[in-house]
């Protein structure tokens, strides 16, 4: 089962969903805003990908964090922040039975689904 995790109104999410739809890829969409973030999955992704890869440090949510929080960021704090404020996570996160992809990259999607 292919799952796509993110926030519905995100431009990158829209691009990823459009690409998947146009190429007939069957997937389930998990909206962080409506369904929340599964803390167990978050820990699995951190273990596989690293919390620094999951944390969007270029977005508004990051900039709104207190400076002390940003300076003290480690895996434990990152997990708590991503669970509490899902919009700070990079998106989309696409999972298959064997892989997790962060972000939308046409070449990576083509390689995964069209080869």
């Amino acid at each position: 089962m292919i799952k796509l995790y993110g926030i519905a109104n995100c431009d990158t999410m829209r691009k990823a969903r459009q690409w998947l739809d146009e190429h007939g890829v069957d997937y389930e969409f998990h909206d962080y805003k409506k369904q929340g973030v599964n803390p167990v999955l978050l820990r699995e992704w951190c273990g596989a990908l690293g919390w620094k890869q999951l944390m969007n440090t270029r977005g508004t949510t990051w900039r709104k964090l207190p400076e002390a929080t940003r300076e003290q960021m480690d895996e434990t704090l990152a997990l708590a922040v991503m669970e509490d404020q899902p919009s700070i996570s990079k998106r989309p996160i696409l999972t298959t039975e064997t892989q997790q992809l962060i972000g939308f990259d046409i070449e990576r999607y083509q390689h995964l689904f069209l080869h």
Side-chain angles (χ1 to χ4, degrees):
M1 168 56 95
I2 297 165
K3 288 191 88 168
L4 190 69
Y5 297 85
I7 298 168
N9 65 351
C10 167
D11 288 338
T12 307
M13 287 297 306
R14 281 195 275 270
K15 290 175 189 176
R17 293 176 76 184
Q18 181 179 355
W19 190 94
L20 292 168
D21 291 342
E22 287 175 357
H23 291 86
V25 177
D26 188 31
Y27 66 94
E28 181 181 319
F29 175 58
H30 180 98
D31 189 334
Y32 291 147
K33 294 281 187 180
K34 293 179 182 175
Q35 299 166 282
V37 178
N38 181 326
V40 174
L41 261 182
L42 212 57
R43 281 167 182 67
E44 286 177 18
W45 293 338
C46 279
L49 304 164
W51 70 268
K52 290 180 182 180
Q53 292 296 321
L54 292 172
M55 180 78 67
N56 180 4
T57 58
R58 294 184 177 186
T60 306
T61 307
W62 173 262
R63 290 190 297 271
K64 287 182 179 178
L65 290 176
E67 186 174 338
T69 301
R70 293 191 311 258
E71 289 173 358
Q72 297 173 10
M73 195 62 65
D74 61 8
E75 183 172 328
T76 301
L77 183 54
L79 285 165
V81 170
M82 286 186 282
E83 190 175 336
D84 185 54
Q85 300 181 56
S87 56
I88 202 166
S89 300
K90 287 184 183 171
R91 51 198 178 268
I93 297 175
L94 183 139
T95 63
T96 68
E97 291 181 18
T98 59
Q99 295 186 57
Q100 299 96 22
L101 298 178
I102 299 174
F104 173 64
D105 181 297
I106 290 174
E107 289 181 13
R108 288 180 15 194
Y109 275 46
Q110 287 173 336
H111 180 74
L112 182 62
F113 297 112
L114 303 180
H115 288 104

